[in-house]
């Protein structure tokens, strides 16, 4: 799965973490490993321009998703095919998301994870215009985010344990215990 990310927002964020959230959501949704996705982080004025141009709404927003238009509408963009499926682009605005994160009581990166998953779901055809659609999309979004957070915490725990084990083995002179001794 190819996920390209470009940060043109001027806000320092953990880009690899955003890519991980996108990859997790795509995997969870059963998207083909050949799929391609682009994530772009932009400044407030760029997002305001996109929001006005594509949604005819004033001011910036947090996330916009642009599915590839040339995809056959009868074929899901994540269906396995002969070549890579171009899912589309997700555009995030970290400056806009900062206030939302503060109001929600979590970090900016948590908000960007949420917005990334939200954008992925939009690219896969989910919407929230009607109450039933909103319930379906937000339930799925929350489940994916919860699973992502659990998986990320477990990976962090395992990494910390490996580091602690390595330090302990090094302290007792067994740091290379896994490797066979070589003889000259």
């Amino acid at each position: 799965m190819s996920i390209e990310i470009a940060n043109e927002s001027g806000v320092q964020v953990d880009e690899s973490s955003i890519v991980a959230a996108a990859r997790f959501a795509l995997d969870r949704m059963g998207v083909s490993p050949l799929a391609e996705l682009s994530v772009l982080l932009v400044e407030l004025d760029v997002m305001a321009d996109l929001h006005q141009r594509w949604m005819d709404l004033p001011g910036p927003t947090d996330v916009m998703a642009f599915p590839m238009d040339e995809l056959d509408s009868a074929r899901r963009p994540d269906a396995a095919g002969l070549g890579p499926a171009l899912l589309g682009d997700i555009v995030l605005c970290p400056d806009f998301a900062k206030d939302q994160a503060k109001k929600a009581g979590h970090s900016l990166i948590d908000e960007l994870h949420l917005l990334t998953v939200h954008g992925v779901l939009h690219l896969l055809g989910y919407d929230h215009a009607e109450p039933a659609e909103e319930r379906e999309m937000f339930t799925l979004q929350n489940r994916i985010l919860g699973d992502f957070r659990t998986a990320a915490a477990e990976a962090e725990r395992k990494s910390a344990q490996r580091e602690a084990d390595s330090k302990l083995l090094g302290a007792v002179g067994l740091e290379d215990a896994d490797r066979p001794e070589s003889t000259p």
Side-chain angles (χ1 to χ4, degrees), residues 2-33:
S2 173
I3 301 174
E4 298 293 325
I5 187 165
N7 187 350
E8 300 174 1
S9 71
V11 176
Q12 289 296 110
V13 297
D14 182 356
E15 295 170 18
S16 64
S17 181
I18 294 170
V19 169
R23 179 166 282 117
F24 188 90
L26 292 168
D27 286 345
R28 186 54 51 104
M29 295 302 296
V31 173
S32 167

Short mmCIF file of all heavy atoms in Angstrom, two decimals, residues 2-33:
data_model
loop_
_atom_site.label_atom_id
_atom_site.label_comp_id
_atom_site.label_asym_id
_atom_site.label_seq_id
_atom_site.Cartn_x
_atom_site.Cartn_y
_atom_site.Cartn_z
N SER A 2 0.66 2.11 -0.91
CA SER A 2 1.47 3.31 -1.03
C SER A 2 0.70 4.50 -0.47
O SER A 2 -0.38 4.82 -0.95
CB SER A 2 1.83 3.56 -2.50
OG SER A 2 2.47 4.80 -2.64
N ILE A 3 1.28 5.13 0.55
CA ILE A 3 0.68 6.32 1.14
C ILE A 3 1.74 7.41 1.13
O ILE A 3 2.77 7.28 1.78
CB ILE A 3 0.17 6.06 2.57
CG1 ILE A 3 -0.87 4.95 2.57
CG2 ILE A 3 -0.40 7.35 3.17
CD1 ILE A 3 -1.33 4.52 3.95
N GLU A 4 1.48 8.44 0.37
CA GLU A 4 2.39 9.58 0.28
C GLU A 4 1.85 10.67 1.20
O GLU A 4 0.66 10.91 1.24
CB GLU A 4 2.45 10.11 -1.15
CG GLU A 4 2.98 9.11 -2.15
CD GLU A 4 4.44 8.77 -1.94
OE1 GLU A 4 5.22 9.67 -1.53
OE2 GLU A 4 4.81 7.61 -2.15
N ILE A 5 2.74 11.34 1.93
CA ILE A 5 2.33 12.44 2.78
C ILE A 5 3.23 13.63 2.52
O ILE A 5 4.44 13.47 2.33
CB ILE A 5 2.34 12.04 4.28
CG1 ILE A 5 1.73 13.17 5.14
CG2 ILE A 5 3.71 11.63 4.74
CD1 ILE A 5 1.37 12.73 6.55
N ALA A 6 2.62 14.81 2.48
CA ALA A 6 3.35 16.06 2.29
C ALA A 6 2.82 17.06 3.31
O ALA A 6 1.62 17.28 3.39
CB ALA A 6 3.18 16.58 0.87
N ASN A 7 3.73 17.62 4.08
CA ASN A 7 3.34 18.59 5.09
C ASN A 7 3.73 19.98 4.62
O ASN A 7 4.89 20.37 4.67
CB ASN A 7 3.99 18.27 6.43
CG ASN A 7 3.48 19.15 7.54
OD1 ASN A 7 2.76 20.12 7.32
ND2 ASN A 7 3.85 18.82 8.76
N GLU A 8 2.74 20.72 4.15
CA GLU A 8 2.93 22.09 3.70
C GLU A 8 2.27 23.06 4.66
O GLU A 8 2.02 24.21 4.32
CB GLU A 8 2.37 22.25 2.28
CG GLU A 8 3.04 21.34 1.27
CD GLU A 8 2.40 21.39 -0.11
OE1 GLU A 8 1.42 22.15 -0.31
OE2 GLU A 8 2.87 20.65 -0.99
N SER A 9 1.95 22.60 5.87
CA SER A 9 1.18 23.39 6.83
C SER A 9 2.02 24.30 7.70
O SER A 9 1.49 25.22 8.32
CB SER A 9 0.37 22.46 7.74
OG SER A 9 1.23 21.76 8.64
N GLY A 10 3.31 24.02 7.82
CA GLY A 10 4.15 24.76 8.73
C GLY A 10 4.03 24.30 10.17
O GLY A 10 4.67 24.86 11.06
N VAL A 11 3.21 23.29 10.41
CA VAL A 11 3.03 22.74 11.76
C VAL A 11 3.79 21.42 11.84
O VAL A 11 3.61 20.54 11.00
CB VAL A 11 1.52 22.50 12.07
CG1 VAL A 11 1.35 21.85 13.43
CG2 VAL A 11 0.75 23.80 11.98
N GLN A 12 4.64 21.29 12.85
CA GLN A 12 5.39 20.05 13.04
C GLN A 12 4.46 18.98 13.60
O GLN A 12 3.86 19.18 14.65
CB GLN A 12 6.55 20.28 13.99
CG GLN A 12 7.68 21.12 13.41
CD GLN A 12 8.34 20.44 12.23
OE1 GLN A 12 8.17 20.89 11.11
NE2 GLN A 12 9.06 19.39 12.46
N VAL A 13 4.34 17.89 12.89
CA VAL A 13 3.53 16.75 13.34
C VAL A 13 4.29 15.47 13.02
O VAL A 13 5.18 15.46 12.18
CB VAL A 13 2.13 16.71 12.68
CG1 VAL A 13 1.31 17.93 13.06
CG2 VAL A 13 2.22 16.58 11.17
N ASP A 14 3.90 14.40 13.69
CA ASP A 14 4.49 13.09 13.43
C ASP A 14 3.84 12.51 12.18
O ASP A 14 2.80 11.86 12.25
CB ASP A 14 4.27 12.18 14.65
CG ASP A 14 4.91 10.82 14.49
OD1 ASP A 14 5.46 10.52 13.41
OD2 ASP A 14 4.84 10.03 15.45
N GLU A 15 4.46 12.77 11.04
CA GLU A 15 3.90 12.33 9.76
C GLU A 15 3.79 10.82 9.67
O GLU A 15 2.82 10.29 9.12
CB GLU A 15 4.74 12.88 8.62
CG GLU A 15 4.69 14.40 8.53
CD GLU A 15 5.71 14.97 7.56
OE1 GLU A 15 6.23 14.23 6.69
OE2 GLU A 15 5.99 16.18 7.67
N SER A 16 4.76 10.10 10.22
CA SER A 16 4.72 8.64 10.15
C SER A 16 3.51 8.10 10.93
O SER A 16 2.94 7.08 10.55
CB SER A 16 6.01 8.02 10.67
OG SER A 16 6.19 8.31 12.04
N SER A 17 3.12 8.78 11.98
CA SER A 17 1.96 8.38 12.76
C SER A 17 0.66 8.58 11.97
O SER A 17 -0.26 7.76 12.05
CB SER A 17 1.92 9.17 14.07
OG SER A 17 0.83 8.80 14.85
N ILE A 18 0.60 9.65 11.20
CA ILE A 18 -0.58 9.89 10.36
C ILE A 18 -0.66 8.82 9.27
O ILE A 18 -1.73 8.28 9.00
CB ILE A 18 -0.52 11.31 9.76
CG1 ILE A 18 -0.66 12.35 10.88
CG2 ILE A 18 -1.60 11.51 8.70
CD1 ILE A 18 -0.38 13.77 10.46
N VAL A 19 0.48 8.50 8.68
CA VAL A 19 0.52 7.43 7.67
C VAL A 19 0.09 6.11 8.30
O VAL A 19 -0.67 5.34 7.71
CB VAL A 19 1.91 7.32 7.03
CG1 VAL A 19 2.05 6.06 6.19
CG2 VAL A 19 2.21 8.56 6.19
N ALA A 20 0.55 5.84 9.52
CA ALA A 20 0.18 4.60 10.21
C ALA A 20 -1.33 4.54 10.45
O ALA A 20 -1.95 3.48 10.28
CB ALA A 20 0.92 4.49 11.54
N ALA A 21 -1.94 5.66 10.82
CA ALA A 21 -3.39 5.70 11.03
C ALA A 21 -4.13 5.43 9.72
O ALA A 21 -5.12 4.68 9.69
CB ALA A 21 -3.83 7.03 11.63
N ALA A 22 -3.66 6.03 8.63
CA ALA A 22 -4.28 5.81 7.32
C ALA A 22 -4.14 4.34 6.91
O ALA A 22 -5.10 3.71 6.47
CB ALA A 22 -3.66 6.72 6.27
N ARG A 23 -2.93 3.80 7.06
CA ARG A 23 -2.68 2.41 6.68
C ARG A 23 -3.55 1.46 7.51
O ARG A 23 -4.13 0.51 7.00
CB ARG A 23 -1.20 2.08 6.85
CG ARG A 23 -0.86 0.63 6.49
CD ARG A 23 0.62 0.40 6.33
NE ARG A 23 1.02 0.91 5.02
CZ ARG A 23 1.88 1.91 4.82
NH1 ARG A 23 2.45 2.50 5.84
NH2 ARG A 23 2.18 2.31 3.61
N PHE A 24 -3.65 1.72 8.81
CA PHE A 24 -4.47 0.89 9.69
C PHE A 24 -5.93 0.92 9.24
O PHE A 24 -6.57 -0.13 9.14
CB PHE A 24 -4.35 1.37 11.15
CG PHE A 24 -5.01 0.46 12.13
CD1 PHE A 24 -4.29 -0.58 12.71
CD2 PHE A 24 -6.33 0.63 12.48
CE1 PHE A 24 -4.89 -1.44 13.62
CE2 PHE A 24 -6.95 -0.22 13.39
CZ PHE A 24 -6.22 -1.25 13.96
N ALA A 25 -6.45 2.11 8.94
CA ALA A 25 -7.85 2.23 8.50
C ALA A 25 -8.07 1.50 7.18
O ALA A 25 -9.07 0.78 7.01
CB ALA A 25 -8.23 3.70 8.37
N LEU A 26 -7.15 1.66 6.26
CA LEU A 26 -7.29 0.99 4.96
C LEU A 26 -7.22 -0.52 5.12
O LEU A 26 -8.01 -1.26 4.50
CB LEU A 26 -6.21 1.48 4.00
CG LEU A 26 -6.34 2.94 3.55
CD1 LEU A 26 -5.07 3.40 2.85
CD2 LEU A 26 -7.56 3.12 2.65
N ASP A 27 -6.30 -0.99 5.96
CA ASP A 27 -6.21 -2.43 6.22
C ASP A 27 -7.49 -2.94 6.87
O ASP A 27 -8.02 -3.98 6.49
CB ASP A 27 -5.02 -2.75 7.14
CG ASP A 27 -3.68 -2.65 6.45
OD1 ASP A 27 -3.65 -2.62 5.20
OD2 ASP A 27 -2.65 -2.60 7.16
N ARG A 28 -7.97 -2.20 7.86
CA ARG A 28 -9.18 -2.61 8.58
C ARG A 28 -10.39 -2.67 7.65
O ARG A 28 -11.28 -3.49 7.83
CB ARG A 28 -9.43 -1.62 9.72
CG ARG A 28 -10.55 -1.95 10.66
CD ARG A 28 -10.46 -3.36 11.27
NE ARG A 28 -9.21 -3.68 11.87
CZ ARG A 28 -8.95 -3.71 13.16
NH1 ARG A 28 -9.88 -3.42 14.01
NH2 ARG A 28 -7.76 -4.05 13.59
N MET A 29 -10.40 -1.82 6.63
CA MET A 29 -11.51 -1.78 5.68
C MET A 29 -11.31 -2.76 4.52
O MET A 29 -12.12 -2.82 3.61
CB MET A 29 -11.70 -0.36 5.15
CG MET A 29 -12.12 0.64 6.21
SD MET A 29 -13.66 0.20 7.06
CE MET A 29 -14.81 0.30 5.69
N GLY A 30 -10.23 -3.53 4.58
CA GLY A 30 -10.00 -4.54 3.55
C GLY A 30 -9.58 -3.99 2.21
O GLY A 30 -9.80 -4.61 1.18
N VAL A 31 -8.96 -2.83 2.21
CA VAL A 31 -8.53 -2.20 0.97
C VAL A 31 -7.33 -2.96 0.41
O VAL A 31 -6.44 -3.38 1.16
CB VAL A 31 -8.19 -0.71 1.22
CG1 VAL A 31 -7.59 -0.06 -0.02
CG2 VAL A 31 -9.43 0.04 1.66
N SER A 32 -7.31 -3.10 -0.88
CA SER A 32 -6.22 -3.80 -1.56
C SER A 32 -4.87 -3.21 -1.18
O SER A 32 -4.71 -1.99 -1.13
CB SER A 32 -6.40 -3.68 -3.07
OG SER A 32 -5.23 -4.09 -3.74
N PRO A 33 -3.85 -4.06 -0.96
CA PRO A 33 -2.51 -3.56 -0.67
C PRO A 33 -1.90 -2.79 -1.85
O PRO A 33 -0.89 -2.14 -1.71
CB PRO A 33 -1.70 -4.81 -0.36
CG PRO A 33 -2.58 -5.97 -0.54
CD PRO A 33 -3.95 -5.50 -0.89
#
